[in-house]
Amino acid sequence: MTGLAQLVPYDEALSRYEPVIGLETHVELGTRTKMFCGCPTTFGLEPNSAVCPVCLGLPGSLPVANRAAIEYTIRIGLALNCSIATWCRFARKNYFYPDMPKDFQISQYDEPLCTDGWIDVEIDGRTVRVGIERVHLEEDTGKSLHMGGATGRIHGAEYSLVDYNRAGIPLVEVVTKPVAGTGALAPDVARAYVTELRDLLRSLGVSDVRMEQGSLRCDVNTSLAPHGSAEWGTRTETKNVNSLRSVERAVRFEIERQAAVLDAGQKVVQETRHFHEEDGTTTAGRSKEEAQDYRYFPEPDLVPVAPDRDWVEQIRASLPELPAARRARLQADWGLSGLEMTQLQNAGALDLIGATVDAGAPAADARKWWMGELARHANATGTDMSELPITPVQVARVSALVRAGTINDKLARQVLEGVLAGEGEPDAIIEARGLAIVTDEGALTSAVEAAIAANPDIAAKIRDGKTAAAGALVGEVMKATRGRADAGRARELILQQLA
Ligand SMILES: [Zn+2]
């Protein structure tokens, strides 16, 4: 790979250059049917089974815009504080691509549905406002599958197949304004923005936002200019960066690479670049087309879109509580600091803790189990917290059992372990493993008497008034009951017997 030999270490690059980033995010909308026809949008169907003359671009077929997709786009625009166009048109974007059946894509060009908004992201306790240039609606392309090679990529493949099921699925593109002035935090800002946007889209219910399935895809623009320069540098566009971590790495790599190019007195080439997950590098793709290369013109087969103002206001009124507002409310409800809240969010535990509280657990308990035992388990097994085989309802039940005195914290850990191991519901595990605290006073008294009888030296000390020694006998009782005794009650009984 070219360019790998020369990278400037990150901190050194930042000491000479100021990065400017921008993000273009494509979101597949979760509508039932495609953008301009009635074909289903279901993921994973038999290739080329969800197609019709419209999405195959057959002669004589005519598109009709999907009202739900327009509503979803307006919902996204409003949530991003955008202005909603009173009148706009679709445009034809002409270019050749084997998986695009019509050889043009119906998109929006100079008349996007939503413009000029913003979203705030939090980085290390600092708020960065990311401007939104536009939110527009278009159709997705099909998908090429390269067969016969080792990697599934076009290089080395013997032949290619095309699946048009994805062709025509409504796609929203959210384009940021250039984000400048974030310095060394630029990669973190990029990641935080995509995270915030993903959470926002999920809360709006407009997409399943699964990056690994391609329903959320990012193109990351990066440029560098010497500190104090009046002009921004030439930007590159790294295409289809498909995980949050990759977004961060792609920006970081481009900063290190472009710094080396500029240090050598060369010019950064305006081009699209491919990101490589394996080693976090980017390599040159095609040189970037200019808008004129696409020969945009208004789509003649579709009527203009003129959203009724009352309809827009209805959509605005129906917006759910957005993630930033929800976080602020939960932080106040749960009495947490900003830092603690960020930790929950970064651990991916916010929704889980929220749901555990909704299921009846005190916030402090919910936080203790998710950020303690369960976070450790997720870490150790390399699993996302949300993928752990335990539900918030089950965690809330464990919390309730501790509060009721049926189990203590130590036993609760064993119950959680049992749930994670697939042994069933908490109550069933307590029963099967025999984990309930011994509340039978007779049984506890026998255990206390046995511990005293087995340790005459310690018993003598306690009789002499050295009550601190009772701890050792409590330990014996706990051992004998396999941790199921109420330690406080055991201590009382020991002191009573030896008074
Ligand atoms: Zn169709």
Side-chain angles (χ1 to χ4, degrees):
M1 281 179 216
T2 54
L4 264 185
Q6 310 108 346
L7 291 179
V8 174
Y10 188 70
D11 292 338
E12 197 188 320
L14 268 299
S15 70
R16 290 197 283 282
Y17 301 103
E18 175 65 32
V20 175
I21 56 169
L23 289 113
E24 297 172 17
T25 310
H26 285 95
V27 188
E28 269 183 5
L29 295 182
T31 52
R32 205 172 42 79
T33 57
K34 290 187 181 180
M35 187 61 228
F36 299 113
C37 64
C39 292
T41 55
T42 321
F43 183 79
L45 294 179
E46 177 80 8
N48 297 310
S49 65
V51 291
C52 73
V54 174
C55 56
L56 286 175
L58 300 186
S61 63
L62 283 173
V64 178
N66 180 335
R67 182 182 164 99
I70 292 170
E71 178 178 338
Y72 282 12
T73 308
I74 293 173
R75 209 186 285 182
I76 295 168
L78 291 172
L80 289 170
N81 305 291
C82 289
S83 306
I84 309 302
T86 50
W87 189 92
C88 65
R89 286 177 296 187
F90 287 100
R92 273 191 195 182
K93 182 181 185 179
N94 297 279
Y95 62 105
F96 173 77
Y97 217 71
D99 54 21
M100 198 172 57
K102 298 189 291 283
D103 283 341
F104 62 82
Q105 180 186 25
I106 304 180
S107 179
Q108 292 194 286
Y109 177 46
D110 50 356
E111 300 168 12
L113 194 46
C114 319
T115 49
D116 198 25
W118 52 265
I119 184 171
D120 283 339
V121 300
E122 303 281 334
I123 308 284
D124 292 344
R126 173 183 160 197
T127 302
V128 177
R129 177 155 294 187
V130 176
I132 302 296
E133 178 80 35
R134 57 191 280 149
V135 179
H136 75 244
L137 189 50
E138 59 190 30
E139 57 179 340
D140 209 345
T141 60
K143 209 171 183 176
S144 299
L145 303 161
H146 306 296
M147 314 302 285
T151 59
R153 294 192 176 185
I154 194 163
H155 299 289
E158 287 168 27
Y159 60 97
S160 296
L161 298 171
V162 186
D163 176 6
Y164 287 118
N165 282 354
R166 200 179 69 178
I169 287 187
L171 205 57
V172 155
E173 183 170 350
V174 180
V175 182
T176 69
K177 296 177 181 175
V179 184
T182 58
L185 287 176
D188 303 273
V189 171
R191 180 185 180 137
Y193 163 76
V194 178
T195 307
E196 191 68 28
L197 181 65
R198 184 194 61 175
D199 292 351
L200 180 89
L201 294 166
R202 187 185 286 136
S203 77
L204 294 172
V206 295
S207 169
D208 63 10
V209 289
R210 291 203 185 146
M211 294 186 89
E212 71 286 0
Q213 285 186 1
S215 52
L216 184 75
R217 319 196 276 273
C218 291
D219 301 340
V220 184
N221 298 330
T222 314
S223 70
L224 286 190
H227 282 304
S229 166
E231 285 177 17
W232 287 342
T234 304
R235 70 193 168 94
T236 59
E237 181 179 354
T238 306
K239 301 290 279 184
N240 291 330
V241 186
N242 290 335
S243 76
L244 295 172
R245 181 163 168 260
S246 299
V247 167
E248 187 180 330
R249 290 167 85 203
V251 174
R252 202 177 171 89
F253 181 82
E254 273 302 288
I255 289 174
E256 294 175 345
R257 186 190 69 83
Q258 292 182 21
V261 172
L262 296 173
D263 277 359
Q266 295 171 352
K267 285 183 174 164
V268 172
V269 180
Q270 182 173 346
E271 63 190 355
T272 62
R273 297 186 66 87
H274 301 295
F275 181 72
H276 304 282
E277 293 282 347
E278 327 73 78
D279 57 6
T281 63
T282 69
T283 50
R286 58 192 155 83
S287 67
K288 179 72 177 153
E289 292 91 348
E290 298 293 330
Q292 63 190 23
D293 297 332
Y294 290 121
R295 309 281 197 281
Y296 281 103
F297 60 84
E299 170 57 58
D301 286 344
L302 286 163
V303 292
V305 178
D308 183 74
R309 289 299 98 179
D310 290 343
W311 186 42
V312 171
E313 289 314 309
Q314 273 171 28
I315 298 170
R316 191 193 303 276
S318 74
L319 290 181
E321 182 183 37
L322 300 179
R326 177 165 175 264
R327 281 199 303 274
R329 175 174 61 78
L330 292 179
Q331 187 184 335
D333 283 359
W334 299 348
L336 298 180
S337 70
L339 184 66
E340 287 168 327
M341 203 63 190
T342 308
Q343 284 168 347
L344 301 191
Q345 204 189 346
N346 291 346
L350 192 63
D351 288 341
L352 295 165
I353 293 172
T356 306
V357 172
D358 290 344
D365 273 16
R367 183 164 153 248
K368 178 177 77 179
W369 293 122
W370 283 107
M371 295 301 284
E373 199 63 16
L374 297 169
R376 267 195 296 282
H377 187 86
N379 246 330
T381 54
T383 321
D384 269 4
M385 295 271 260
S386 59
E387 311 273 304
L388 288 177
I390 187 165
T391 63
V393 170
Q394 290 170 321
V395 177
R397 179 63 188 154
V398 169
S399 158
L401 289 164
V402 173
R403 278 176 291 132
T406 310
I407 50 175
N408 55 28
D409 276 8
K410 206 171 159 197
L411 295 167
R413 275 191 278 279
Q414 296 183 47
V415 177
L416 293 174
E417 191 188 291
V419 176
L420 291 168
E423 292 172 27
E425 292 299 316
D427 293 86
I429 292 166
I430 290 170
E431 177 75 28
R433 289 196 182 193
L435 295 177
I437 282 173
V438 178
T439 47
D440 174 3
E441 193 80 358
L444 193 55
T445 305
S446 319
V448 164
E449 285 168 359
I452 291 170
N455 298 279
D457 300 354
I458 300 173
K461 280 187 193 165
I462 298 169
R463 279 203 190 84
D464 290 348
K466 290 178 185 148
T467 53
L473 291 185
V474 172
E476 290 295 313
V477 172
M478 297 307 281
K479 211 188 283 174
T481 57
R482 287 182 297 125
R484 294 180 303 126
D486 177 339
R489 183 65 191 138
R491 187 184 159 83
E492 281 171 21
L493 289 173
I494 290 164
L495 295 178
Q496 266 172 31
Q497 299 246 348
L498 299 174

